[in-house]
Amino acid sequence: MTAGKEEDQKGITVKKNENFSDWYTEVIIKSGFMDYSPVSGMIVFRPDAYFVWEEIYKAVDARFKKNGVQNTYFPLLIPERLLKKEEKHVEHFKAEVGWVTHGGDTKLEERLAIRPTSETLMYEVMSKWIRSWRDLPMKLNQWNNVVRWEFKHPTPFLRTREFLWNEGHSAYETEEEALRERDLILGIYESALKDLLALPCIVGRKTEQEKFAGGVASYSMEMLMPDGKAVQGPAWHFDGQNFAKAFEMSFLDKDGNKAYVWQSTYAIATRVLGVMVAMHGDDKGLVIPPSVSRIQIVIVPIYRNENRDLVMSKAKEMRETLGRKFRVHLDDRDDRSPGRKYNEWELKGVPIRLEIGERDISAGKVVAVRRDTAGKSDVPMAEIEGALKALLKNMNKDLYSKAQSFMKGMVSESSDYAEMKDILQKRMGVVCAPWCGSEDCENKMKDETGAKIINMSLGKKVRKGAKCVYCGKDARHMANFAKSY
Amino acid sequence: MTAGKEEDQKGITVKKNENFSDWYTEVIIKSGFMDYSPVSGMIVFRPDAYFVWEEIYKAVDARFKKNGVQNTYFPLLIPERLLKKEEKHVEHFKAEVGWVTHGGDTKLEERLAIRPTSETLMYEVMSKWIRSWRDLPMKLNQWNNVVRWEFKHPTPFLRTREFLWNEGHSAYETEEEALRERDLILGIYESALKDLLALPCIVGRKTEQEKFAGGVASYSMEMLMPDGKAVQGPAWHFDGQNFAKAFEMSFLDKDGNKAYVWQSTYAIATRVLGVMVAMHGDDKGLVIPPSVSRIQIVIVPIYRNENRDLVMSKAKEMRETLGRKFRVHLDDRDDRSPGRKYNEWELKGVPIRLEIGERDISAGKVVAVRRDTAGKSDVPMAEIEGALKALLKNMNKDLYSKAQSFMKGMVSESSDYAEMKDILQKRMGVVCAPWCGSEDCENKMKDETGAKIINMSLGKKVRKGAKCVYCGKDARHMANFAKSY
């Protein structure tokens, strides 16, 4: 399927709850949110999608900066020898690296990897900058593009061979300081998910098998898709001194002794756009939360030839005045009926539609329609600004509540393996169960249920005497099991 | 040379006017502005440098958006067959393409080029989006990274194998509309150069040989370096219908006839950071214009053990209050003398230093020192905010005036070839001379003088009866000759 022109579009032909996967593809293409590219597994972010990413970038970046993080830019390419310096890291990433072998017609002496992530390159360079405790903490970040040559079936935004993200890399003097960063960063990401994308998440620690390759511990924010599968969102990783030792990132501490830095890394990626689309969209198309919608309000004038000038001039005046406070678009096309315009803007997920005709003008009002609820309300012109502000705010809040209710209904607790398997098979979603912590149990359950441990909820304690749902030995963690993207 | 820690730095050891090239390298490394990377020809933008780029991005992007430009993101990689679709385009770029041949261990069926620029990929996709005049104008842009595998000696910022830029791509219904875009975009770039980087430029049209590969006409903003060589800055290219025909970007016009779009592209790249450093820096280090300096004001407290608390508390209070209006840093390190701190911040190019000691506090004042002029002034505490605002504003203005005077002194007019050669050899800079327009003359002059036609000034008319400085035939253009980076 390719992007069709408006003339060819017949709206969404698949119901979200009948065939989620086809619905997802149709909705992101037909709405003009993204498009495929001539390179398999790499997508085009059209303006509405890129705008969402820009809003995430702006909000998250401002909070990073407030916390002393400094932005940098490191090269796209990493020499093969560097990538190999941290053993577990290269082991994990080498299978999915895009390799550059030639510059023009010249064969390179050493292959260069397109960064799948920048630890190795950054730490090689940062090690030269860090010499004394005076240079710490060093909290660097970049907003860039990375390539991971996955061979699994690609899904736009959720699994693509190139994606955009931030990669934060901090180096601290002590382990305590490094660990203190965790809640700060996860808090920034959680706000972005909630306030901008209206998405709830489950925060927890990854198991040893699932943690970041080369790190000590990973903390992830897992989200749920409408089909009941989990998808990993932003994450914060504690690297301990693993990379520090591989890249000789040492410094002289306050007592004049040589010490290695303690490190962390963290990221939020464009994958979250896919979750946003999936969670909020409906059978009419996209539903974009107001805080990240490129167009927040579309004005659709309703007129005949006789009163076109009257209506259009009022509509233009509204565009002017409302445009100072909101992101407004006036659909002034004469060759489209209002009904057809409604369909188009619903497909694109614009949060609020304002309908204005001659009778509305006479009555000193406008009709406002919310995209998510289709709720109509008459808004007196005199109160329009406040009313729209409230509508937009409520829509963000309501989208979040709805997504949260969905998630609550999809998360359950079980200490019975048969029951857990049954839930994971029938309803999907997340089952939180006691686990002994052994990789053997983890692997067997994964094989038998198709679900993995997405993370272990923070703050959820194992009940006294609780036994592993699989082997019956003493449980050490409350693990969240789910099938995942 | 690698980045040294502060302890090892002895300041700049080369004079700018004695060995410009070595001075340039020393100043950008020792100040911590950038660093080399393990990949030859690719550099690391450290926080102070990336901050400058962020400020350019923010200002330019806001003005693009005001003019209806929408941001997008297209993939990093371009299939070889696409790159070949526009003949002159591939001819120019193929020698400097970084080629991806493998994904993991799998050899790709077709080589993929890391984008040297995105025309071919974007137009292939955009052609599907454009069907009727209703879809036009389509004004898209991306802020991204590109790779050009140049084999000439790399110079940080000025010639690197990867750089950051914006690439704007517009498609219009008519030629007139497309051409109207030129002055708007060049105006946005000119403001960015002037108001942010304090850099003047010479705007003009490129010759046929020097224009963008695949385009119809190119307009560039050329800047001058302290060594008298020119360097190309931002540019706007008129593509006519060349790419439109190669990529079948056609649409149905208002009369229902098939027509091809008229296109333009435009870009500003991180290269301008190099010119900023080169023009404003001095023998003490960088001088960063206040509008793009990550730290605008550094507070250096002057104290002895006995009055440390008193002075430091006043300094902290200043950091608080001034921090609400300016980007302020307090250098509270106890193990550095004020003099050493002065040197460090001068090396880094921070626009204003505030010195505060006990006597200043008693007198209700602070000493402000401008980085560019070293001018000291006593500023009463009561007026500090206004005074600093004025100082920062004046510094931007004065840096621009100084750069402009330099440029004026380096640009001359000549209609005598021997004189022109002499100037280009001795003083370098720019010589504006009448030219007949033939490639033959252009090439011969390039061979004989080492200078090329950087552009042909807009608005500078050929005097009646003027003859080509080389062949003596009727002149058609006033061409700007210069040696260039």
Side-chain angles (χ1 to χ4, degrees):
Chain A
M1 186 167 67
T2 61
K5 260 272 306 164
E6 290 160 341
E7 277 74 4
D8 313 323
Q9 288 170 357
K10 291 171 196 89
I12 306 301
T13 62
V14 194
K15 299 255 178 261
K16 185 178 180 182
N17 64 6
E18 285 173 6
N19 186 337
F20 169 69
S21 164
D22 285 2
W23 170 87
Y24 179 79
T25 310
E26 257 200 37
V27 87
I28 50 180
I29 291 285
K30 287 195 170 176
S31 62
F33 196 67
M34 58 73 69
D35 205 346
Y36 294 110
S37 86
V39 182
S40 161
M42 295 195 177
I43 63 169
V44 177
F45 288 67
R46 297 184 69 174
D48 287 347
Y50 196 74
F51 190 91
V52 176
W53 184 240
E54 281 181 306
E55 291 300 303
I56 294 172
Y57 153 77
K58 278 195 277 183
V60 170
D61 192 65
R63 289 196 57 189
F64 283 170
K65 287 205 171 100
K66 208 171 251 177
N67 285 294
V69 177
Q70 297 180 342
N71 284 340
T72 54
Y73 188 76
F74 283 75
L76 173 72
L77 304 178
I78 305 177
E80 185 167 16
R81 86 196 117 87
L82 271 192
L83 202 66
K84 286 179 171 166
K85 269 198 175 181
E86 211 293 334
E87 205 181 327
K88 281 175 192 148
H89 189 73
V90 68
E91 197 54 46
H92 178 81
F93 284 109
K94 71 177 180 190
E96 51 184 50
V97 160
W99 290 108
V100 180
T101 55
H102 289 74
D105 294 328
T106 309
K107 190 168 186 229
L108 304 180
E109 281 177 35
E110 180 185 18
R111 296 198 298 178
L112 300 170
I114 302 182
R115 62 181 162 223
T117 177
S118 304
E119 277 76 7
T120 55
L121 183 67
M122 287 180 74
Y123 301 167
E124 176 82 1
V125 177
M126 282 166 70
S127 70
K128 294 192 294 172
W129 302 342
I130 298 170
R131 305 239 182 134
S132 117
W133 62 274
R134 273 281 183 214
D135 303 313
L136 302 173
M138 186 173 283
K139 298 189 269 185
L140 303 182
N141 179 56
Q142 14 177 4
W143 293 91
N144 62 22
N145 55 339
V146 290
V147 167
R148 296 183 185 178
W149 215 268
E150 300 212 42
F151 290 92
K152 283 191 228 169
H153 184 65
T155 308
F157 300 113
L158 300 175
R159 191 183 302 118
T160 52
R161 285 180 173 168
E162 180 187 15
F163 57 84
L164 307 177
W165 73 347
N166 93 279
E167 47 176 323
H169 296 266
S170 309
Y172 290 96
E173 227 179 309
T174 66
E175 183 173 15
E176 294 68 42
E177 269 182 290
L179 289 171
R180 252 201 312 271
E181 192 193 70
R182 187 193 74 184
D183 292 342
L184 175 78
I185 298 296
L186 291 180
I188 291 173
Y189 288 149
E190 203 167 354
S191 305
L193 293 183
K194 182 176 174 182
D195 303 337
L196 301 179
L197 303 180
L199 292 174
C201 61
I202 301 169
V203 186
R205 181 174 173 166
K206 287 278 188 189
T207 68
E208 285 299 301
Q209 288 197 76
E210 300 284 338
K211 75 181 183 188
F212 175 61
V216 169
S218 289
Y219 297 84
S220 70
M221 315 179 81
E222 305 284 335
M223 291 168 288
L224 263 189
M225 294 284 277
D227 60 2
K229 280 197 212 164
V231 56
Q232 189 189 312
W236 182 89
H237 311 285
F238 176 57
D239 291 342
Q241 297 180 312
N242 290 354
F243 288 97
K245 285 176 180 164
F247 289 87
E248 196 50 40
M249 298 175 78
S250 63
F251 65 99
L252 288 182
D253 67 16
K254 283 173 186 133
D255 305 321
N257 299 319
K258 176 178 158 173
Y260 287 99
V261 298
W262 295 87
Q263 288 184 278
S264 68
T265 65
Y266 49 93
I268 185 170
T270 41
R271 163 177 271 195
V272 294
L273 271 66
V275 187
M276 177 199 83
V277 164
M279 277 314 299
H280 304 313
D282 62 24
D283 292 343
K284 290 192 278 184
L286 287 180
V287 175
I288 305 189
S291 38
V292 293
S293 192
R294 187 173 65 83
I295 299 173
Q296 296 175 306
I297 297 165
V298 62
I299 303 170
V300 179
I302 298 160
Y303 54 86
R304 301 175 308 278
N305 282 339
E306 310 87 76
N307 62 9
R308 184 184 182 283
D309 288 355
L310 170 80
V311 174
M312 203 61 96
S313 106
K314 185 69 190 172
K316 280 179 184 164
E317 183 196 314
M318 284 171 65
R319 177 178 57 187
E320 266 327 289
T321 50
L322 295 178
R324 283 179 216 126
K325 299 279 177 180
F326 310 102
R327 298 187 288 271
V328 179
H329 177 75
L330 166 61
D331 188 346
D332 58 3
R333 292 174 296 175
D334 284 326
D335 62 348
R336 294 277 192 292
S337 69
R340 179 138 170 224
K341 290 179 181 176
Y342 298 170
N343 292 341
E344 284 180 27
W345 295 111
E346 281 172 355
L347 178 60
K348 285 179 170 295
V350 170
I352 290 177
R353 175 175 81 231
L354 294 183
E355 306 170 0
I356 179 136
E358 188 169 357
R359 265 183 305 176
D360 300 303
I361 297 172
S362 308
K365 68 166 181 77
V366 64
V367 178
V369 186
R370 255 175 75 158
R371 173 62 184 90
D372 57 336
T373 59
K376 279 195 178 200
S377 52
D378 280 344
V379 178
M381 280 295 183
E383 301 158 17
I384 192 162
E385 209 178 287
L388 289 174
K389 210 171 147 185
L391 274 176
L392 292 170
K393 200 175 153 192
N394 288 339
M395 184 168 156
N396 246 80
K397 227 177 55 191
D398 293 349
L399 285 175
Y400 180 77
S401 300
K402 205 177 143 198
Q404 206 178 23
S405 307
F406 168 78
M407 188 179 252
K408 273 190 185 148
M410 294 292 277
V411 177
S412 50
E413 222 173 292
S414 176
S415 46
D416 178 80
Y417 187 57
E419 183 189 62
M420 170 174 141
K421 265 211 292 200
D422 192 53
I423 297 171
L424 287 172
Q425 198 150 39
K426 285 191 186 139
R427 186 207 64 187
M428 308 258 275
V430 177
V431 179
C432 184
W435 168 53
C436 63
S438 89
E439 286 199 1
D440 190 44
C441 289
E442 185 183 7
N443 291 337
K444 281 180 181 153
M445 285 191 280
K446 194 175 173 183
D447 288 346
E448 291 168 23
T449 64
K452 69 175 189 183
I453 299 175
I454 54 171
N455 64 20
M456 299 172 286
S457 293
L458 291 183
K460 194 173 254 178
K461 283 196 184 138
V462 181
R463 255 181 245 109
K464 226 181 171 163
K467 303 296 174 195
C468 175
V469 70
Y470 193 78
C471 69
K473 287 183 191 149
D474 285 351
R476 288 177 49 215
H477 307 283
M478 288 303 288
N480 295 310
F481 293 82
K483 293 185 182 177
S484 70
Y485 271 82
Chain B
M1 186 167 69
T2 61
K5 260 273 305 164
E6 291 158 343
E7 276 74 5
D8 312 324
Q9 289 169 354
K10 291 170 195 91
I12 307 301
T13 61
V14 193
K15 300 257 180 254
K16 185 177 179 182
N17 64 6
E18 284 173 8
N19 185 338
F20 169 69
S21 164
D22 284 2
W23 170 88
Y24 179 79
T25 311
E26 257 200 38
V27 87
I28 51 180
I29 292 284
K30 287 196 171 177
S31 63
F33 197 67
M34 59 74 70
D35 205 346
Y36 294 110
S37 87
V39 182
S40 160
M42 295 193 177
I43 63 169
V44 177
F45 288 67
R46 296 184 71 173
D48 287 346
Y50 196 75
F51 190 90
V52 176
W53 183 240
E54 281 181 307
E55 291 300 303
I56 294 172
Y57 154 77
K58 278 196 277 181
V60 169
D61 193 64
R63 290 196 57 189
F64 283 170
K65 287 206 170 98
K66 211 172 249 178
N67 285 294
V69 177
Q70 298 179 341
N71 283 341
T72 55
Y73 188 76
F74 284 75
L76 173 72
L77 303 178
I78 304 177
E80 184 167 17
R81 87 196 116 87
L82 271 192
L83 202 67
K84 286 180 171 167
K85 269 198 173 180
E86 213 291 336
E87 206 181 328
K88 281 176 192 149
H89 189 74
V90 66
E91 197 55 45
H92 178 80
F93 284 109
K94 71 178 179 189
E96 50 185 51
V97 160
W99 289 108
V100 180
T101 56
H102 290 73
D105 294 328
T106 309
K107 188 169 188 231
L108 304 180
E109 283 176 33
E110 181 186 18
R111 296 198 297 179
L112 300 170
I114 302 183
R115 61 181 165 224
T117 177
S118 304
E119 277 76 7
T120 55
L121 183 68
M122 287 180 75
Y123 300 167
E124 176 83 359
V125 177
M126 283 166 70
S127 70
K128 295 190 295 171
W129 301 343
I130 298 170
R131 305 240 182 132
S132 117
W133 61 273
R134 274 281 182 216
D135 302 314
L136 302 173
M138 187 173 281
K139 298 189 270 185
L140 303 182
N141 178 57
Q142 12 177 6
W143 292 91
N144 62 23
N145 54 340
V146 289
V147 167
R148 297 184 183 177
W149 215 268
E150 300 211 41
F151 290 92
K152 283 189 228 168
H153 185 65
T155 309
F157 300 112
L158 300 176
R159 191 183 303 120
T160 51
R161 286 181 172 166
E162 180 186 16
F163 57 85
L164 305 177
W165 73 347
N166 94 279
E167 47 175 324
H169 296 267
S170 309
Y172 290 97
E173 229 179 308
T174 66
E175 185 173 13
E176 294 68 42
E177 270 182 289
L179 289 170
R180 253 202 310 272
E181 192 193 71
R182 187 192 74 186
D183 292 344
L184 175 77
I185 298 297
L186 291 180
I188 291 172
Y189 287 149
E190 204 167 352
S191 306
L193 293 184
K194 182 177 174 182
D195 303 337
L196 301 180
L197 304 181
L199 293 174
C201 61
I202 300 169
V203 186
R205 181 174 173 166
K206 287 278 187 188
T207 69
E208 285 299 300
Q209 287 197 78
E210 299 284 338
K211 74 182 182 188
F212 175 60
V216 168
S218 289
Y219 297 84
S220 69
M221 314 179 82
E222 305 284 334
M223 292 168 288
L224 264 189
M225 294 283 279
D227 60 3
K229 280 198 212 166
V231 56
Q232 189 189 312
W236 182 89
H237 311 286
F238 176 57
D239 290 342
Q241 297 181 313
N242 289 355
F243 287 98
K245 285 176 180 163
F247 288 88
E248 197 49 39
M249 297 175 81
S250 63
F251 65 100
L252 288 182
D253 67 15
K254 283 173 186 133
D255 303 322
N257 299 319
K258 177 178 157 173
Y260 286 100
V261 298
W262 296 87
Q263 289 183 277
S264 67
T265 65
Y266 49 92
I268 185 170
T270 40
R271 164 177 272 195
V272 294
L273 270 66
V275 187
M276 177 198 84
V277 165
M279 277 313 299
H280 304 313
D282 62 23
D283 292 342
K284 289 193 277 184
L286 286 180
V287 175
I288 305 188
S291 37
V292 293
S293 192
R294 187 173 67 82
I295 299 172
Q296 296 175 307
I297 297 164
V298 62
I299 304 170
V300 179
I302 298 161
Y303 55 85
R304 300 175 307 280
N305 281 341
E306 312 85 77
N307 63 7
R308 185 184 181 281
D309 289 354
L310 169 81
V311 174
M312 203 61 96
S313 108
K314 184 69 191 171
K316 280 180 183 165
E317 183 195 314
M318 284 171 65
R319 175 177 60 186
E320 266 327 288
T321 50
L322 295 178
R324 283 180 215 126
K325 299 278 176 182
F326 310 101
R327 298 188 288 271
V328 178
H329 178 76
L330 166 61
D331 189 345
D332 58 2
R333 294 174 294 176
D334 285 326
D335 62 349
R336 295 278 190 291
S337 70
R340 177 137 170 223
K341 290 179 181 178
Y342 298 170
N343 291 342
E344 283 180 28
W345 296 110
E346 280 171 355
L347 178 60
K348 286 178 169 298
V350 170
I352 291 177
R353 175 175 82 231
L354 294 182
E355 305 171 359
I356 178 136
E358 187 168 358
R359 265 184 304 176
D360 301 300
I361 297 173
S362 307
K365 69 166 181 77
V366 63
V367 178
V369 186
R370 256 175 73 159
R371 172 61 183 89
D372 57 335
T373 58
K376 280 195 179 200
S377 52
D378 279 345
V379 178
M381 279 294 182
E383 301 158 19
I384 192 163
E385 210 178 285
L388 288 174
K389 214 173 142 183
L391 273 175
L392 291 170
K393 203 176 149 189
N394 289 339
M395 182 168 158
N396 246 80
K397 228 176 53 192
D398 294 348
L399 285 175
Y400 181 77
S401 302
K402 203 176 145 199
Q404 206 177 23
S405 311
F406 168 77
M407 187 180 254
K408 275 192 185 145
M410 294 292 275
V411 177
S412 50
E413 223 173 292
S414 175
S415 46
D416 179 80
Y417 187 56
E419 183 187 61
M420 171 174 141
K421 267 211 294 202
D422 193 53
I423 296 172
L424 287 172
Q425 200 150 40
K426 285 190 187 139
R427 185 207 65 185
M428 307 258 277
V430 178
V431 179
C432 184
W435 168 52
C436 63
S438 90
E439 287 201 0
D440 189 46
C441 289
E442 185 182 6
N443 291 337
K444 281 179 182 151
M445 286 191 280
K446 194 175 172 182
D447 287 347
E448 291 169 22
T449 64
K452 70 175 187 182
I453 300 177
I454 54 170
N455 65 19
M456 299 173 285
S457 292
L458 291 182
K460 193 172 255 178
K461 283 196 185 139
V462 181
R463 255 181 247 109
K464 230 182 168 161
K467 304 295 174 193
C468 174
V469 71
Y470 194 78
C471 69
K473 288 187 191 145
D474 284 351
R476 290 176 49 213
H477 306 283
M478 288 302 288
N480 295 310
F481 293 82
K483 295 188 181 175
S484 70
Y485 271 83

